Amino acid sequence: TEIPPCREISLRQWIRESASIESSRRITTVRNFSHSISEYISTALLISSKITKILVDADQPDRNGSCVPLASIASQSIMIGVRQEKQNVNVENGPEEPPLGKDLAEDFDWDNIDSEKLTPTDEIKSPIFNSELIQHIRLDFPSGGNPDLGSITDRLFALGFVFVELFAFGNHIVDEDTFERFRSDRNTLSFGDINLGGISHKTDFSRHKKHSSDHHNNIASEIVNKLALLGIPRALCALLEDLLECNQGEFRRDDAYVSLEDLYSDLQLMIKEPSKFLYNEQEPQLLMSDKIHGRDEEFANIREAYKLRANGDCVGVVITGEAGVGKSRLAKTFETFDEKENRSIFIGKFDQINDIKPLSVIATVINDLCKKFAEDVRSLRVKQSAALDLENALGSQAALLSNFLPSLSDLMTLDFTRSTPSYCTDTAESVRFLFCKTLQILSFYSPGPITILLDDVQWADPSSLLLITSLLESSKENKCVFFLFCIRDNEIQRSPNSPVFNWYQSTLKMPLKHITLANLNEEGVNSLVSDTLCLFPRLTRHLSQVLHHRALGNPFFVWQLLDTLQKEGYLYHSLRGTVKRWAWDMDKINSLRISDSVLALLMREMNKLPDDLKMGLEVASCMGATVSMDIVRILSFHLQIDLSAILDSVTGKGFMDRIETSNYRFSHDRVQQAAYEMMSDERRRENHMAFGLAICSHALENGNDELLFTSVNQINRGGHDVLSDPCKKAMIAALNLKVGNKSAALTDFDSALAYFKHGISFLNEEYWKHQYQLSIDLHNAAADASCALSDTVGVRFYSQSVFSYAVSLEDKLDAMFVLVKSLRMALALSEAEKCAVRFLQDLGEELPRAANDPQLKSDILSMIGAISRCTDDSILILKHSRDKKLIILMKLYHDLFYTLQMMDPSRLFSVSLRMLQLSIECGITELSPLAFAQFGVTVLSVGDAVAGYRMGSLALKLAKSLGIAGFMSSIIAVVQPYIAWVSEPFQIITETHKLGVTLGEQWGDVSSSTVNHYWFQLTKLLSGHDLSTVRSDCSRFLRDLLSRKQSWCVNCTCMTYIHSVALIEGENSCELVCCNGIPTEKDIESLSLERKQELIIFGL
C-alpha cells in the first residue's frame, strides 16, 4: 500500500491552517463554532500531552546534554509531521494565512455571548483536526540559539503560553512581545498593557472572573477568561491559568504547577476521562465510581491468570484481604477485560446472616446461567444438542436438580413429573455431580467463556464450600469457565479449624492464582480521592496524605472519611472563577478528632440520623445484607410504619442501594455491620424473634419456602430463652423439624442439623413426656443428619437418647439403622458388626452363619429350587411392602453385608440368603434387587452357573420395574463382573459398566461408580478396544482416583494401565510411565498378603 506523503510544519502553522479551514466553512453561529471547538480540543489535548511528555523525558537526569532550551518551548519551534490527504490543503500553494491578529470569530458579540451553548458535540472531523493524521511531534533546537534552560517555573510558564496559543484556536489573544514583557516584568505589567487582539480589553468580564482575593490586574485570569468566552471548557481554562500562575514566583497560588510530571498527568486525565476532568461543569458531588485505584499490578495478575485459563493451567483467582480493601471492586472490574470477547459473568454473594435456602447463592448463579443460555442462544440446533446432553448426563435426577434450578425447564424437554423419589446413596454427592455436569455442558455450548464470581466466601456454609470444590475439580480441564473468589483472610484466620479455613487451605493446592490485597499506599489513596472529588491528583495530594494516615490506606474507610468531612462542613464547594469545585481547610482537618475505626465512624454518622431512619437501619440490618420487598411489606405491616419510604430515605443518605425495584441492599457489608452493632445484644435478639414470628405467619399462609427459611432463621437467632409461651415454643420446634427436613432434602445437612438442634432447644421441659413424638422425630432426624456429616459422636448421642426414652421397639428402628451405618462408614467395623447383630436379635432374627455350616448349604439349595419353580413374571409381580420393620431389617442386613466383607466374608452367603428370604416371604423393598444380585453370586459359588445368571438378570429386571435407579449402579457392580460373564460377551459387559458409572455419579453412589469405572477400563482392555484409548482413559481415571484419595482402587486400576502400556510399548517401558503416585507392577507385587486380600475383596 502506498504510504501517503508527510509534511512537517510548526505548531503555529498548524494552528493557522486549522483556523483557516474553519474560516472557509463560513462559521456564522455559536453552535457551529462550538462543534469546531470540540473537534479541535480533542486533537489539541493530544498535542499538548505529547509536547509535555517530550519535555518530561528530556529533563530526566540521565539525559545529559539533551534538555530542551527555554527558547525552544515556543509554537514556532515545535514541529508537527502531518500526513497529507487528498482533502487537505494544497501543499504547494498552501492556505491563505489569516493576517496576524485577525480573529476567526471576530464578528461575535462577546458581551452577549451565551457560554452555556458552547458544549461539546459530535461532528465530522476537519481533515487537519484528525489526530490520526499527525505522524510525529518534535522540538526544534536551532543552532546558535540561547542554551539557557531556565527554572522549572519558567519552563512551565513558557509551555502555558504555547498552550494558550494552541487552545485559542487561531484567535490572537497574546502576542510574543507581550509574552516577553509578561515573563520578564511580572510585577509591573498590567492587564491594560496586553494586546488582546480582536477582543477589547474594555469588555466586561465580571461574569467570568474568579471570586477570590487575587489582585484586579491578574493577567493570567484575564487571559483564560477570554478563552472561556471562546467555548474552551472551564477545567481546561483553570489548567492554563495554573500554568500562567507559574510566572508569579513566590506570590503564585498553591494551585500553580510545580512540575512537568503533574502537568502531563492532568492532561492524560483530561484525555482519558473527559466527562470527569474536562467537560464536567455540574455541581460537584461526592460519588465513588467503579474505578479501581492503585491496583494495576493485581489487575494485571488477574488478566494473566485468565489468559492461562485458555491453556488449562489456571481455573480461577482467589482474592484475599481485609474488609473494605476493595476485593469485590477489583473482581468486578474483570467485566471490562477484553470487551471484544463474548464473555458472561455471573455474580453470587454470601451473607453473614444466612437466611436463605440451602445452596441458594450458587444455585442462583447457575440458574442465571441457564436463563441467559435460553435467552441468548438462537441456534435451534445448539439448543437441541445441549438439551440432549443434559438429559443423558442428568437422567431422572434432573427432577432433583430442578428444585435448585427452575430455569432448567427452559432448556430440557424432560418431563420432570415422571421421576418419583427414590433411594439415593448420597444425595449431596448426587447434587454436586448434577451441578458440575450442568455447568460443563452449558459452558461447552455457550457462545463465549463463562466467569463465576463468588463474593464474601468467608460466610459460605459447608455445603456450599463442598459444591464449590466439586465445581473447581470438574473444571480443571474446562477452558470455558473461570472462577473469581473474594474472601476475608482475617476472618477465616480466627477459626483455624472451621470448614471455610479448611476450604481455603485446599485451594492452595488447586490450579488457582492467589492475590492478596493490602491497603493502598499514599499514591493509591490520592488517586481515589482525586477521582471522587473530580480534581487533579496534584490538588488533592495533601488532603490524601492526611486521609491515608487516618484510614491506614483502607479504601472504604477513606471514602467514609470523605463523606464525614463533607457532612460536617470541612469539605465544601468553592468558586474559582466560574468553576465550582471542592475545597477544604487543611488546618481544621488536621485538628479534627475522628475515630480510627470505620465501624465507629459509621455508627457515629448513623446516630446523627432521625429516629425513624435509625430504626429503619436497625430493622434492615437484622435481615442481612439484602432486604427483599416481600420482607419490607410484611415488616411494614407488623411495625405499622412505611418501611419502604424509610429505606428510600436511608438510600438517599448513601447507606443503602435500591436494586432495581425488588430489593434494598447495604452499600457495603461494613455498613450493615455498623447498623447491627448499634443495637444491644438483647435488642437484637428481641428484634429477630419478633420479625421471625411476623414473617412466619405469611410464609405458612402462602406456602413460601424462602420466607419460611427466613422466618425460622430469624426466630432461632432470637433464641429459645426470649420466648416464654410454651405453645409458641412447641410450634417453633415443629417448624425447625420441617425446615430441617427441607434442608436435608436439598442436601444441606449442616444447616439441617442446626435446625434440628434448635428444634430440640425449643422443646419444653419434660419434653419426652409431653412432646414425645416430636422429640422422637427431632432426635432421629438429628442422628441422620449427623450420619450424613460423618459425625459419629453426634449419631451416638442422638441415637442413645432415642434408645433411652423410646417406649416401643418400632420407635427405635431408625436410630438402630443410622447408628450401624455411621459406624460402618467410620470404619469402626467391629462395633458396627456388634450393633447390627444385637439389633437383629432384638428384632427376632438369627445370627448370620458361616459358609461351612451344613444347614446353610442346604438352605441355599432349597432357595435355588424354590426360585427355579417360579417364572420371571411371577417374581416381578411379588407384592411391594412398606412395612417399616421389614425395610429397616433389609437396611441392617445390607450394611452388615458390607461390614462382613471386610470382617468375615465367610458369613456373606448367610446374609444374602436371608435378604432374599425376606423379599420372597414378606414383600419386595427397594433393596430386594440387590438381594437377588448378591444371592446370584452365592449360587455361582455352589456351582450352578445357569441359576446364578438368572438371579443376576432378575436383579436388573426387578430394579427397572421398581424404578430405583439409585441402586442400579451397585447392582451392576455385582452382576456384571461376577455373574454376567457366564453368558454375555465382554463388549456388552463393558457398555453396562459404563452405564453403571453414569448412574452411580447421577445418584451419588461414589463407591459403586468407582468400582464400575474400574471394571469398565478392564473389560475395555479384554474386549479388544483401542489400546491407546484404554491407556489414556486409565491414566485419567488414575489421576482422578489419586485426587479423590481413593487408594483402594488405585492398585488394581494401575495393573490395567501397566498392561495397556506394555502391549503398546513393551514390558521395559512400564517403569518409565509409572509416576506421580501411580504404583508400579513391582510395588503391587510387594504388597502384604493382607493388602492383596483387600484388593481381591474389592474386585481384582
Side-chain angles (χ1 to χ4, degrees):
T1 304
E2 183 180 354
I3 300 176
C6 175
R7 64 191 180 105
E8 190 173 71
I9 58 177
S10 69
L11 176 61
R12 178 168 295 175
Q13 179 69 14
W14 184 87
I15 296 170
R16 289 176 176 176
E17 289 189 15
S18 300
S20 176
I21 290 172
E22 289 305 315
S23 179
S24 66
R25 290 183 176 182
R26 299 179 181 180
I27 297 174
T28 56
T29 67
V30 170
R31 179 177 178 276
N32 286 337
F33 187 64
S34 165
H35 291 169
S36 300
I37 286 290
S38 176
E39 297 173 22
Y40 182 84
I41 287 172
S42 297
T43 302
L45 275 173
L46 291 172
I47 293 173
S48 303
S49 176
K50 181 62 177 177
I51 294 170
T52 308
K53 188 65 168 64
I54 291 172
L55 292 174
V56 169
D57 293 342
D59 288 356
Q60 295 302 314
D62 58 345
R63 298 287 297 274
N64 295 330
S66 62
C67 292
V68 178
L70 182 61
S72 294
I73 306 178
S75 59
Q76 68 272 20
S77 300
I78 300 172
M79 309 306 294
I80 299 180
V82 182
R83 190 171 74 240
Q84 188 66 38
E85 298 286 351
K86 292 182 180 180
Q87 65 267 33
N88 278 5
V89 180
N90 186 278
V91 180
E92 296 180 0
N93 299 327
E96 181 180 351
E97 296 184 11
L100 197 63
K102 177 69 175 178
D103 282 341
L104 175 65
E106 62 181 353
D107 295 331
F108 283 5
D109 182 0
W110 293 99
D111 290 327
N112 298 314
I113 189 170
D114 186 357
S115 60
E116 295 300 322
K117 294 180 180 179
L118 297 175
T119 56
T121 56
D122 294 330
E123 183 80 359
I124 300 175
K125 290 187 176 181
S126 303
I128 202 168
F129 288 175
N130 192 344
S131 60
E132 296 178 359
L133 299 181
I134 298 177
Q135 298 283 62
H136 64 266
I137 298 175
R138 68 179 182 84
L139 272 67
D140 191 22
F141 296 9
S143 59
N146 187 353
D148 180 33
L149 299 179
S151 66
I152 184 61
T153 55
D154 290 336
R155 298 169 74 77
L156 286 166
F157 174 74
L159 197 55
F161 183 78
V162 171
F163 290 172
V164 167
E165 184 178 351
L166 174 61
F167 288 104
F169 196 35
N171 292 281
H172 189 223
I173 291 181
V174 185
D175 59 23
E176 291 184 37
D177 180 60
T178 302
F179 166 66
E180 288 299 328
R181 295 173 58 198
F182 189 12
R183 181 168 62 85
S184 61
D185 194 12
R186 62 179 63 140
N187 296 322
T188 60
L189 188 64
S190 68
F191 182 66
D193 295 325
I194 294 182
N195 179 3
L196 294 176
I199 305 177
S200 170
H201 72 275
K202 296 179 181 179
T203 302
D204 181 12
F205 289 101
S206 59
R207 290 186 300 141
H208 306 284
K209 289 184 179 181
K210 68 176 181 176
H211 295 238
S212 67
S213 60
D214 287 356
H215 195 267
H216 71 280
N217 66 345
N218 189 324
I219 301 170
S221 296
E222 299 295 355
I223 291 173
V224 297
N225 280 335
K226 291 196 67 177
L227 290 173
L229 290 176
L230 290 174
I232 304 300
R234 295 172 183 175
L236 183 53
C237 290
L239 180 146
L240 296 173
E241 184 177 1
D242 289 344
L243 276 174
L244 297 178
E245 277 289 328
C246 294
N247 193 48
Q248 298 300 311
E250 296 180 359
F251 301 101
R252 66 180 184 272
R253 287 198 304 259
D254 291 339
D255 293 349
Y257 282 97
V258 295
S259 73
L260 287 164
E261 287 81 2
D262 282 346
L263 174 60
Y264 178 72
S265 173
D266 292 356
L267 290 170
Q268 285 292 301
L269 287 173
M270 283 187 166
I271 293 169
K272 294 177 181 178
E273 300 182 64
S275 62
K276 179 171 289 189
F277 291 100
L278 180 60
Y279 293 118
N280 184 14
E281 300 188 6
Q282 304 292 327
E283 183 85 2
Q285 295 183 349
L286 202 64
L287 296 175
M288 181 180 285
S289 70
D290 292 332
K291 182 179 178 182
I292 59 172
H293 305 275
R295 304 299 189 197
D296 294 342
E297 180 180 351
E298 290 85 353
F299 187 64
N301 287 335
I302 295 178
R303 295 180 62 177
E304 180 62 27
Y306 184 73
K307 292 177 181 177
L308 291 174
R309 168 201 59 84
N311 301 326
D313 297 329
C314 184
V315 73
V317 173
V318 179
I319 305 174
T320 59
E322 66 180 39
V325 81
K327 302 180 295 295
S328 305
R329 188 176 296 273
L330 175 63
K332 289 176 182 177
T333 57
F334 183 74
E335 293 183 77
T336 64
F337 171 55
D338 196 2
E339 296 179 354
K340 295 180 181 179
E341 189 176 38
N342 188 17
R343 184 179 68 254
S344 302
I345 184 166
F346 301 92
I347 302 175
K349 183 180 176 66
F350 292 95
D351 188 355
Q352 186 175 11
I353 300 181
N354 185 16
D355 281 346
I356 53 180
K357 291 173 65 177
L359 301 179
S360 285
V361 173
I362 304 175
T364 299
V365 168
I366 306 300
N367 190 64
D368 289 344
L369 170 59
C370 294
K371 188 184 303 182
K372 184 173 177 59
F373 184 90
E375 294 172 352
D376 291 358
V377 177
R378 302 300 180 187
S379 170
L380 180 61
R381 182 184 61 81
V382 172
K383 283 188 174 181
Q384 289 175 340
S385 298
L388 181 61
D389 284 357
L390 284 170
E391 290 174 11
N392 291 334
L394 307 182
S396 58
Q397 282 292 78
L400 173 63
L401 188 60
S402 66
N403 293 327
F404 300 91
L405 311 178
S407 296
L408 191 63
S409 59
D410 297 334
L411 305 179
M412 300 176 63
T413 57
L414 190 65
D415 182 7
F416 292 101
T417 60
R418 74 182 184 185
S419 297
T420 57
S422 180
Y423 176 85
C424 179
T425 303
D426 189 338
T427 311
E429 189 69 39
S430 173
V431 167
R432 290 193 286 271
F433 169 78
L434 299 173
F435 267 97
C436 292
K437 293 303 291 186
T438 303
L439 176 60
Q440 178 185 339
I441 292 169
L442 293 184
S443 64
F444 177 80
Y445 286 104
S446 290
I450 292 169
T451 299
I452 294 177
L453 166 58
L454 296 177
D455 197 5
D456 282 338
V457 182
Q458 72 274 359
W459 308 131
D461 57 280
S463 297
S464 294
L465 293 172
L466 287 173
L467 178 53
I468 292 171
T469 300
S470 297
L471 291 171
L472 287 171
E473 291 288 349
S474 66
S475 300
K476 284 182 178 179
E477 298 182 6
N478 189 344
K479 301 178 182 180
C480 300
V481 178
F482 190 73
F483 291 90
L484 289 168
F485 303 102
C486 297
I487 184 168
R488 292 189 201 168
D489 51 357
N490 59 324
E491 292 285 349
I492 63 174
Q493 296 296 337
R494 296 175 184 174
S495 305
N497 294 319
S498 65
V500 69
F501 178 85
N502 294 331
W503 174 85
Y504 177 72
Q505 292 297 314
S506 70
T507 64
L508 300 175
K509 302 176 183 178
M510 295 182 184
L512 292 164
K513 190 173 186 66
H514 286 72
I515 297 175
T516 301
L517 290 191
N519 285 329
L520 295 175
N521 56 22
E522 285 190 4
E523 183 180 352
V525 170
N526 190 35
S527 175
L528 186 154
V529 174
S530 165
D531 183 69
T532 304
L533 302 181
C534 295
L535 292 173
F536 293 126
R538 63 186 175 86
L539 302 177
T540 60
R541 190 167 291 130
H542 292 161
L543 174 62
S544 298
Q545 289 172 349
V546 174
L547 296 178
H548 177 269
H549 176 72
R550 291 290 179 89
L552 301 177
N554 185 282
F556 180 70
F557 198 176
V558 169
W559 196 89
Q560 289 301 321
L561 285 172
L562 285 172
D563 186 57
T564 299
L565 293 175
Q566 186 265 333
K567 288 177 179 177
E568 297 190 0
Y570 296 99
L571 191 63
Y572 51 87
H573 293 165
S574 176
L575 193 66
R576 176 181 173 182
T578 59
V579 180
K580 187 178 285 188
R581 60 172 231 189
W582 290 106
W584 52 87
D585 188 323
M586 286 304 305
D587 292 335
K588 291 183 178 179
I589 292 176
N590 280 321
S591 61
L592 188 63
R593 296 183 62 184
I594 300 179
S595 172
D596 291 333
S597 164
V598 66
L599 286 179
L601 182 64
L602 286 167
M603 293 168 67
R604 172 187 172 190
E605 294 300 318
M606 291 174 180
N607 281 319
K608 296 178 183 178
L609 296 174
D611 290 341
D612 59 337
L613 298 193
K614 283 195 290 186
M615 184 187 68
L617 276 171
E618 291 178 357
V619 172
S621 69
C622 288
M623 307 312 300
T626 304
V627 188
S628 70
M629 285 305 300
D630 287 338
I631 299 293
V632 170
R633 284 189 288 268
I634 293 170
L635 296 184
S636 293
F637 179 80
H638 171 71
L639 298 170
Q640 295 298 298
I641 59 173
D642 187 351
L643 185 58
S644 180
I646 292 174
L647 294 183
D648 282 338
S649 298
V650 170
T651 299
K653 299 293 185 181
F655 293 109
M656 300 188 78
D657 299 318
R658 186 75 178 264
I659 310 172
E660 297 176 351
T661 58
S662 57
N663 296 316
Y664 292 94
R665 180 179 62 195
F666 280 95
S667 56
H668 193 275
D669 51 4
R670 283 295 207 189
V671 179
Q672 186 263 336
Q673 185 180 356
Y676 193 67
E677 292 190 4
M678 283 199 302
M679 300 176 284
S680 65
D681 179 67
E682 182 180 2
R683 180 171 174 78
R684 285 197 293 261
R685 295 178 64 193
E686 289 174 350
N687 281 343
H688 283 306
M689 180 61 71
F691 300 159
L693 291 172
I695 297 169
C696 182
S697 59
H698 289 266
L700 294 174
E701 288 175 9
N702 301 304
N704 189 320
D705 278 355
E706 290 190 7
L707 286 180
L708 182 61
F709 275 100
T710 300
S711 64
V712 174
N713 280 319
Q714 288 288 316
I715 290 170
N716 289 341
R717 283 192 178 83
H720 63 91
D721 51 345
V722 175
L723 207 59
S724 57
D725 187 339
C727 294
K728 285 186 178 180
K729 292 179 75 172
M731 178 196 72
I732 293 170
L735 283 175
N736 270 290
L737 176 63
K738 180 178 181 179
V739 173
N741 286 331
K742 286 180 178 291
S743 293
L746 294 173
T747 73
D748 186 358
F749 296 105
D750 289 276
S751 297
L753 180 58
Y755 288 124
F756 299 140
K757 288 180 177 179
H758 280 295
I760 293 172
S761 72
F762 275 99
L763 292 172
N764 296 302
E765 293 182 4
E766 298 185 350
Y767 53 82
W768 283 108
K769 179 179 179 181
H770 301 296
Q771 295 170 288
Y772 176 77
Q773 190 57 50
L774 182 57
S775 301
I776 286 285
D777 293 341
L778 280 169
H779 283 78
N780 277 331
D784 197 32
S786 298
C787 179
L789 296 171
S790 301
D791 179 11
T792 308
V793 175
V795 174
R796 283 196 177 101
F797 174 80
Y798 293 111
S799 59
Q800 189 58 49
S801 296
V802 174
F803 298 150
S804 300
Y805 293 100
V807 296
S808 68
L809 182 63
E810 184 176 355
D811 289 339
K812 299 178 182 180
L813 291 175
D814 289 325
M816 289 177 176
F817 163 66
V818 170
L819 180 58
V820 173
K821 179 182 178 181
S822 175
L823 293 170
R824 176 182 64 82
M825 291 174 60
L827 296 181
L829 301 178
S830 178
E831 187 179 358
E833 180 193 2
K834 290 178 182 178
C835 287
V837 170
R838 186 176 76 249
F839 295 152
L840 287 172
Q841 287 179 315
D842 290 344
L843 294 170
E845 292 290 301
E846 295 181 358
L847 294 178
R849 293 167 287 175
N852 57 3
D853 187 317
Q855 186 59 41
L856 176 60
K857 186 173 183 179
S858 175
D859 291 342
I860 290 173
L861 293 175
S862 176
M863 177 58 70
I864 293 173
I867 295 294
S868 66
R869 292 188 292 272
C870 300
T871 64
D872 287 1
D873 290 340
S874 65
I875 291 175
L876 294 176
I877 62 172
L878 287 172
K879 68 174 183 177
H880 296 182
S881 176
R882 298 185 182 277
D883 180 69
K884 186 174 181 179
K885 180 180 177 181
L886 174 63
I887 293 172
I888 294 298
L889 268 175
M890 292 290 286
K891 288 183 177 181
L892 283 172
Y893 273 120
H894 174 260
D895 272 77
L896 181 60
F897 184 91
Y898 286 106
T899 301
L900 291 176
Q901 269 192 328
M902 299 293 292
M903 295 289 297
D904 186 4
S906 67
R907 292 190 287 169
L908 292 178
F909 293 165
S910 176
V911 174
S912 66
L913 172 63
R914 184 55 185 155
M915 290 181 70
L916 187 61
Q917 289 173 340
L918 288 171
S919 298
I920 298 296
E921 298 169 3
C922 303
I924 299 295
T925 69
E926 59 188 2
L927 280 167
S928 295
L930 192 57
F932 273 87
Q934 291 168 345
F935 189 71
V937 178
T938 301
V939 172
L940 278 176
S941 71
V942 297
D944 194 339
V946 175
Y949 180 75
R950 182 179 178 230
M951 295 296 295
S953 299
L954 280 171
L956 294 172
K957 291 178 182 178
L958 188 59
K960 186 176 181 181
S961 68
L962 292 175
I964 50 172
F967 262 125
M968 188 63 78
S969 181
S970 60
I971 295 171
I972 290 173
V974 174
V975 172
Q976 293 304 309
Y978 300 111
I979 300 175
W981 59 269
V982 171
S983 177
E984 298 175 9
F986 275 130
Q987 288 85 349
I988 294 177
I989 293 175
T990 299
E991 292 304 313
T992 309
H993 277 304
K994 184 178 180 181
L995 175 63
V997 173
T998 302
L999 290 171
E1001 290 174 335
Q1002 290 175 351
W1003 288 87
D1005 191 349
V1006 178
S1007 297
S1008 297
S1009 176
T1010 301
V1011 170
N1012 275 299
H1013 206 153
Y1014 159 68
W1015 286 111
F1016 173 60
Q1017 301 298 339
L1018 178 59
T1019 53
K1020 272 201 308 183
L1021 177 67
L1022 298 177
S1023 59
H1025 275 67
D1026 180 69
L1027 288 174
S1028 61
T1029 302
V1030 174
R1031 174 182 179 174
S1032 60
D1033 289 350
C1034 270
S1035 178
R1036 280 194 296 270
F1037 182 43
L1038 282 167
R1039 299 291 185 270
D1040 179 60
L1041 289 172
L1042 291 169
S1043 67
R1044 292 190 288 119
K1045 299 181 180 179
Q1046 297 283 342
S1047 58
W1048 57 269
C1049 200
V1050 167
N1051 292 322
C1052 49
T1053 304
C1054 191
M1055 290 301 295
T1056 305
Y1057 175 67
I1058 292 172
H1059 291 162
S1060 66
V1061 173
L1063 289 170
I1064 295 174
E1065 302 180 15
E1067 288 189 37
N1068 294 333
S1069 62
C1070 294
E1071 295 293 336
L1072 300 177
V1073 299
C1074 297
C1075 58
N1076 296 328
I1078 299 176
T1080 65
E1081 191 170 13
K1082 291 182 179 179
D1083 294 331
I1084 297 174
E1085 288 297 326
S1086 65
L1087 291 173
S1088 64
L1089 178 62
E1090 181 181 355
R1091 289 290 292 128
K1092 287 181 179 179
Q1093 288 175 339
E1094 290 179 17
L1095 294 181
I1096 293 172
I1097 291 171
F1098 284 113
L1100 180 56

